[in-house]
Amino acid sequence: MIKFSMVILMIGTFFIGHSQLITTTSKKVSKLSFDSTTNIFFNVDVVSCFRELAPNASHLNTPLGKRADETPLTLPSYTLGISIPLTKWLKINTGLSMLQNGEAYNWYSSVDDSSYSYTSVFRYVSMPIALSAAYGKKLKLHVGLGIKPGIFTSYKKSEAWTDEDGTNSSEETTIQDDLNSFSIAAQATMGFEYFFKSFSIRVSYIYRRQLNNTYNEFEDYIHRSIASGGQIAFTYFL
């Protein structure tokens, strides 16, 4: 009887300990949830910039000429902002952004060493406003959609050419009075965000499309920038 009682006690102790282990382990497993933290963030976008370009039919309907052969240009943009919960699953994000758009052109002669190339970069200070949601465990799927209104700050066109004798020359143009002082773009992001104790890191695909004309109303072209590429974001929880 004593031996039987000891066996029962040992079996009971085993099951109690095993159940405690399962309970402890289950507590450590993260549950699916939405991100509801308030945080500050810093984004770095590295995107391939291009444009939609068409003659301004309401002005002179000027042909595109060599601008029809322009190519995309890779440029970075930066954003510092704050993310605040609106509901248990939806957040609003805003801040200050240094935004760049642009395009490039390259031409090489097939008969001699002459060539010609340029890059055009349009810079803006922008205040993005976006809604976002993130769902998962420590690794969450993150999606965002918003607008980026911006004020034009500077323009730079960098030209370089080589003549038929192989002489290299270059020139920079920074004055451009035919540009619209205001820009607005729509932007969407999708990616994954990994959450640590007090911060997170997010990697996303970003797509941005300008909604208005880069140039003033009575200029030669209708120009709207397009950009797509990668974004990395660092957040700190408040």
Side-chain angles (χ1 to χ4, degrees):
M1 185 68 181
I2 295 175
K3 289 183 178 180
F4 179 76
S5 299
M6 291 180 65
V7 170
I8 295 298
L9 181 62
M10 290 175 65
I11 293 173
T13 303
F14 171 79
F15 278 105
I16 291 172
H18 187 63
S19 64
Q20 288 178 341
L21 179 62
I22 292 173
T23 303
T24 303
T25 303
S26 64
K27 286 181 180 179
K28 293 180 180 179
V29 175
S30 300
K31 295 181 179 179
L32 292 169
S33 63
F34 286 98
D35 171 31
S36 59
T37 62
T38 299
N39 61 68
I40 56 174
F41 62 85
F42 178 67
N43 293 348
V44 179
D45 305 340
V46 179
V47 294
S48 175
C49 299
F50 200 43
R51 80 292 179 274
E52 291 180 344
L53 188 69
N56 188 350
S58 63
H59 185 43
L60 298 176
N61 207 23
T62 306
L64 298 183
K66 67 175 181 291
R67 295 204 60 180
D69 299 320
E70 288 178 336
T71 58
L73 179 64
T74 300
L75 292 168
S77 294
Y78 310 94
T79 303
L80 179 64
I82 186 168
S83 181
I84 302 171
L86 288 178
T87 68
K88 68 177 183 180
W89 63 272
L90 188 65
K91 300 174 73 173
I92 187 167
N93 312 275
T94 189
L96 198 63
S97 177
M98 196 284 282
L99 176 66
Q100 296 191 112
N101 294 323
E103 57 258 356
Y105 175 82
N106 292 280
W107 172 83
Y108 300 95
S109 173
S110 59
V111 296
D112 54 38
D113 293 332
S114 57
S115 64
Y116 174 71
S117 64
Y118 64 78
T119 60
S120 296
V121 179
F122 310 85
R123 295 188 176 96
Y124 302 85
V125 172
S126 171
M127 191 180 77
I129 303 170
L131 297 175
S132 67
Y135 184 72
K137 297 183 179 181
K138 281 187 173 294
L139 181 66
K140 298 182 187 293
L141 175 66
H142 184 280
V143 293
L145 183 66
I147 58 172
K148 297 193 81 167
I151 301 298
F152 173 74
T153 59
S154 67
Y155 166 84
K156 184 170 77 169
K157 183 176 183 179
S158 302
E159 299 175 89
W161 62 92
T162 304
D163 61 25
E164 58 185 12
D165 298 325
T167 303
N168 297 318
S169 303
S170 62
E171 184 178 10
E172 283 191 356
T173 303
T174 56
I175 298 174
Q176 191 82 351
D177 57 5
D178 59 354
L179 295 174
N180 194 337
S181 61
F182 176 76
S183 170
I184 186 166
Q187 178 173 290
T189 59
M190 177 178 287
F192 290 95
E193 186 170 7
Y194 192 85
F195 286 74
F196 296 89
K197 185 176 181 180
S198 60
F199 68 96
S200 69
I201 298 175
R202 182 172 68 248
V203 177
S204 303
Y205 170 79
I206 181 172
Y207 178 80
R208 186 175 72 238
R209 176 180 287 270
Q210 187 175 342
L211 303 178
N212 66 331
N213 189 6
T214 303
Y215 296 111
N216 290 325
E217 182 179 2
F218 297 108
E219 299 299 335
D220 292 341
Y221 304 115
I222 305 296
H223 179 286
R224 296 185 179 94
S225 295
I226 304 169
S228 63
Q231 179 187 84
I232 183 166
F234 304 91
T235 75
Y236 180 77
F237 307 146
L238 299 177

